[in-house]
Amino acid sequence: MVRKVKPIWEALGKLDRRWVYLFVSLSILFPLLFPLNLPLTVTKHVKAVYDRIENLPDTSAVLIAFDFDPSSIPECLPMAISLCHHVMKSGKVLIVYTNFPETGPIAERVLEPLAAKFQREYGKHYVNLGFKPGNDVLLMALGSSWTTSFPKDFRGNSTQEMEIFSRFPSYRHLSFMVDVAHGATVDFYITIGLAQFGVPLAAGVTAVSIPQYEAFVQTGQLVGLLGGLKGAAEYEKLVGTKGKATRGMDAQSVAHLVIIFFIFLGNVSVVRNIILKNISAMRIKK
Amino acid sequence: MIGTWVAAFFTLAIFSFLYRDNPIYRLAEHIFIGISTGYYIAVQWHSVVKPNVVDKVLLGDYLPLIPGVLGLLLLLRLIPKYQWIARYPIAIYIGVGAALNMIQYTQGFLIAQIQGTMLSPTSINNLLIILGTLTSLTYFFFALEHKHLSKVSKIGIGFLMLSFGAAYGTTVMGRLSLLISRFDFLLFEWLGGMF
């Protein structure tokens, strides 16, 4: 019995989606195993964040808010690591806190090795305040004092006795802040931190949020923007490290090409079907 | 070591859904939901309720009892006979939230974003921003029938479609990043740790 073979365009229109999953998986797997070292260009929004931190006086304090939870670690954690690396390496004071209860320990795991590497002293050069509920209301309170809202840091130490808070007693004393966020926390840093307290702000956001926050870069409300894994990889390049974000960029590029290819095939198949349908309708009319 | 194996098993169990629904996927899904719920209850208790209400009340500061009780009243929504009481804490929450946000959002979002579109039409980028904003806003103008504004609002739809396309593209990028991270884990932490 001769098996009837479907025309290729008809077969493509009914392609089992599991083939797409397979090809996308392979397009990620191979570049991870055999890196292609594709070129990575640093965009101006990322460079602006780097330059702002780099050009701050050594006596400045920078806040990095770890506003993400484990579901956004792949995109946000590489950004947070690179930013903390940069602040500590350049000798500025680093304050870290989070609006997510489960992220305090993640921040601690980032800060400890970096502090050891750059010989930064806890409570003098950097601090991890951990989590406090309140979001925008908390931020308003931080405009008056760090130590009232955070009487103890993540490690349980009293913040009253820390040198860092005698030099920088409130949010208003910061020179710069970056919100590494997977959600809408950037909004209240814009509306309160920037608009009310006048602290310059940048954001590191998941790729999904890039279009939403690009508008704030255009208006000058955000100094710069790190977007998704690519933003993290760009910052890794600027600080001279090769972390997980850089490792994932080849896979990201190849997977994007595969997805574009499938979108193209799908559209060609749909357009072809529409044309054939119209032609047959015209023939029937005749 | 055990943690890595457990994580690898659950990653593969969730991936198995891509082939078809199966009992291993459902087992992983149910365990995930159960553990997350338990974990978040514990985290919320230790990070929010205990330090901000219980510990303070035990030290003689009774002011946190007010938000504590209001929070408990929200749970009355679960009892049909008393669910009306839950409207009071919700009303306070909405009232305070609206008052705070009204000023903040007007100052930080509305005025700043309007200022951002008041540009000199001397470059293509500026022209596109002005045109995109005006035509998109026209699409959302409902006081007049759209037949009077149809051509302008159609251009607005074009700009909206472009923004949806950008949002779709970055969403794909974000989801792929999550997948890359899982593959990275399986290859370098799980399999890499074995060999």
Side-chain angles (χ1 to χ4, degrees), chain B residues 180-191:
Chain B
I180 290 166
S181 165
R182 284 293 82 198
F183 272 59
D184 188 280
F185 163 77
L186 289 172
L187 282 176
F188 301 111
E189 287 182 48
W190 180 51
L191 292 174

Side-chain angles (χ1 to χ4, degrees), chain A residues 101-102 131-133, chain B residues 41-52:
Chain A
E102 59 274 45
F131 163 75
K132 184 88 179 176
Chain B
I41 289 171
V43 164
Q44 291 296 327
W45 169 258
H46 287 290
S47 314
V48 182
V49 182
K50 189 172 175 285
N52 294 300

Side-chain angles (χ1 to χ4, degrees), chain B residues 130-150:
Chain B
I130 296 165
L131 188 70
T133 308
L134 293 177
T135 54
S136 301
L137 280 173
T138 311
Y139 176 71
F140 291 103
F141 186 72
F142 303 117
L144 276 177
E145 234 185 306
H146 266 225
K147 65 180 179 186
H148 302 296
L149 304 159
S150 62

Side-chain angles (χ1 to χ4, degrees), chain A residues 30-53:
Chain A
F30 280 106
L32 281 176
L33 287 171
F34 310 106
L36 305 167
N37 296 317
L38 295 170
L40 179 71
T41 315
V42 177
T43 52
K44 63 176 183 181
H45 292 347
V46 177
K47 185 74 167 55
V49 180
Y50 179 86
D51 287 344
R52 177 58 72 106
I53 294 176

Side-chain angles (χ1 to χ4, degrees), chain B residues 158-169:
Chain B
F159 277 101
L160 288 172
M161 290 299 164
L162 285 172
S163 75
F164 297 151
Y168 171 74

Side-chain angles (χ1 to χ4, degrees), chain B residues 79-184:
Chain B
I79 308 167
K81 195 178 170 187
Y82 299 108
Q83 63 179 344
W84 60 272
I85 299 173
R87 288 181 196 154
Y88 289 99
I90 291 172
I92 292 169
Y93 185 77
I94 291 172
V96 173
L100 282 173
N101 287 331
M102 206 180 290
I103 302 162
Q104 290 165 6
Y105 275 71
T106 307
Q107 194 181 359
F109 279 16
L110 189 65
I111 294 172
Q113 288 295 315
I114 291 171
Q115 278 175 335
T117 58
M118 291 178 179
L119 301 162
S120 161
T122 47
S123 71
I124 294 172
N125 277 351
N126 288 2
L127 275 171
L128 282 173
I129 289 169
I130 296 165
L131 188 70
T133 308
L134 293 177
T135 54
S136 301
L137 280 173
T138 311
Y139 176 71
F140 291 103
F141 186 72
F142 303 117
L144 276 177
E145 234 185 306
H146 266 225
K147 65 180 179 186
H148 302 296
L149 304 159
S150 62
K151 279 182 187 162
V152 181
S153 65
K154 268 182 188 166
I155 299 170
I157 293 171
F159 277 101
L160 288 172
M161 290 299 164
L162 285 172
S163 75
F164 297 151
Y168 171 74
T170 52
T171 304
V172 170
M173 184 175 152
R175 299 297 177 254
L176 278 176
S177 304
L178 303 182
L179 188 61
I180 290 166
S181 165
R182 284 293 82 198
F183 272 59
D184 188 280

